[in-house]
Amino acid sequence: MQLTNRFQIKSEHRIIDFLNSQPVGRISSIDIDGFPQVIPMNFVFVKTQHEMKMNSTPINSDAIYMHSHPFGEKIENIKRNSKVGFEVDQHVCFLPSYYFHPTDASQADTLYISVVIKGNAFMIDDAIEKAFALNMLMKKYQTEGFYESLNQSMRSVRAVSVIKVVPQDIRGKYKIGQHWTPDYRLKMAEKIIRREGILNSRQILNIMGLEEDPTGKLYVKREPVM
């Protein structure tokens, strides 16, 4: 249990930041034959602090919003069974076996971050909430602006479908070097640089809490704890 806890993301804030830093999530619904159907989707996670009024009733639950074509298998699945899974992951770096042992292939490993959500999905009919969800999606994906906010009176807002997932359980896992001592993390970083190249390694090292000083020497900038 202690080992498992070491790899759990304990901070809700960091889970939400991670979710909204990733461009694609995967929603899993149950089809008519009982099989899970997994679809990649653009999405945004919205906290209750973004509460808005919808017909004088506050939207007071955390939610994942996705826009969708009005017709399709996932829509039919959700209407038939609201229970869904939602998953977001980031592959940080593959660690080949020879980092750890000269010949034992079982030593290969991966650095990663992932969040798995179980919840209930609904199709949003209210045009005010639709406009709110679409504006939150625009805020996430088009950070540079250059657009006018959408509103409930627009034909495009009324025509599009919006899926809302209300989470019942959220669990995050990660392995980005937090299980290594700082000295060992620096040693592994040197191996990563040799294999991946310095340019490709910079984002990996940043996630691991490492940075180069002006002379090119690696140092621990922060502990990679989520």
Side-chain angles (χ1 to χ4, degrees):
M1 182 63 70
Q2 185 177 2
L3 182 63
T4 301
N5 287 338
R6 186 182 299 178
F7 297 111
Q8 289 181 351
I9 304 176
K10 297 181 175 67
S11 166
E12 180 190 41
H13 173 73
R14 290 184 182 273
I15 286 176
I16 294 169
D17 281 352
F18 170 71
L19 288 172
N20 283 332
S21 73
Q22 299 302 304
V24 177
R26 296 165 186 85
I27 185 169
S28 175
S29 57
I30 304 299
D31 72 14
I32 196 169
D33 296 314
F35 291 100
Q37 182 197 38
V38 182
I39 300 291
M41 299 283 287
N42 289 345
F43 75 99
V44 64
F45 188 99
V46 179
K47 276 292 294 176
T48 53
Q49 67 192 39
H50 291 286
E51 183 179 293
M52 57 161 284
K53 294 290 184 178
M54 182 186 68
N55 297 335
S56 301
T57 301
I59 298 175
N60 56 9
S61 62
D62 295 349
I64 296 163
Y65 287 107
M66 295 162 273
H67 70 85
S68 172
H69 191 275
F71 307 101
E73 188 176 2
K74 70 178 179 296
I75 304 295
E76 296 306 312
N77 293 345
I78 289 168
K79 289 179 178 178
R80 187 172 50 251
N81 183 348
S82 68
K83 291 184 178 180
V84 298
F86 190 81
E87 185 272 348
V88 181
D89 63 82
Q90 181 181 3
H91 172 87
V92 176
C93 184
F94 174 72
L95 306 175
S97 60
Y98 57 80
Y99 282 9
F100 309 98
H101 190 277
T103 59
D104 185 357
S106 70
Q107 298 301 306
D109 204 351
T110 301
L111 301 182
Y112 66 90
I113 306 170
S114 70
V115 173
V116 175
I117 296 171
K118 296 177 182 178
N120 289 281
F122 309 93
M123 306 307 301
I124 300 301
D125 295 322
D126 186 271
I128 295 176
E129 188 172 5
K130 273 189 179 183
F132 168 75
L134 294 171
N135 281 320
M136 294 302 292
L137 283 161
M138 287 298 296
K139 183 178 179 180
K140 173 181 175 179
Y141 287 96
Q142 194 166 315
T143 56
E144 69 273 25
F146 300 106
Y147 66 91
E148 295 181 358
S149 294
L150 300 159
N151 64 69
Q152 66 270 22
S153 64
M154 293 178 173
R155 183 176 178 181
S156 57
V157 171
R158 296 181 178 275
V160 73
S161 287
V162 172
I163 301 169
K164 178 179 183 178
V165 175
V166 177
Q168 300 297 313
D169 183 70
I170 303 177
R171 297 181 187 237
K173 291 181 65 178
Y174 73 121
K175 185 188 287 186
I176 56 175
Q178 78 275 18
H179 55 304
W180 297 327
T181 65
D183 286 344
Y184 191 76
R185 202 180 315 137
L186 288 167
K187 180 180 177 181
M188 294 304 297
E190 291 173 357
K191 295 182 179 183
I192 290 170
I193 291 171
R194 284 198 295 270
R195 184 174 192 261
E196 308 291 339
I198 187 61
L199 292 179
N200 292 334
S201 299
R202 280 178 178 155
Q203 183 180 9
I204 300 168
L205 301 181
N206 181 60
I207 292 171
M208 293 172 64
L210 306 176
E211 198 167 278
E212 292 177 292
D213 68 16
T215 68
K217 183 178 179 180
L218 288 173
Y219 69 95
V220 178
K221 183 179 181 181
R222 67 184 184 283
E223 287 301 306
V225 176
M226 298 182 71

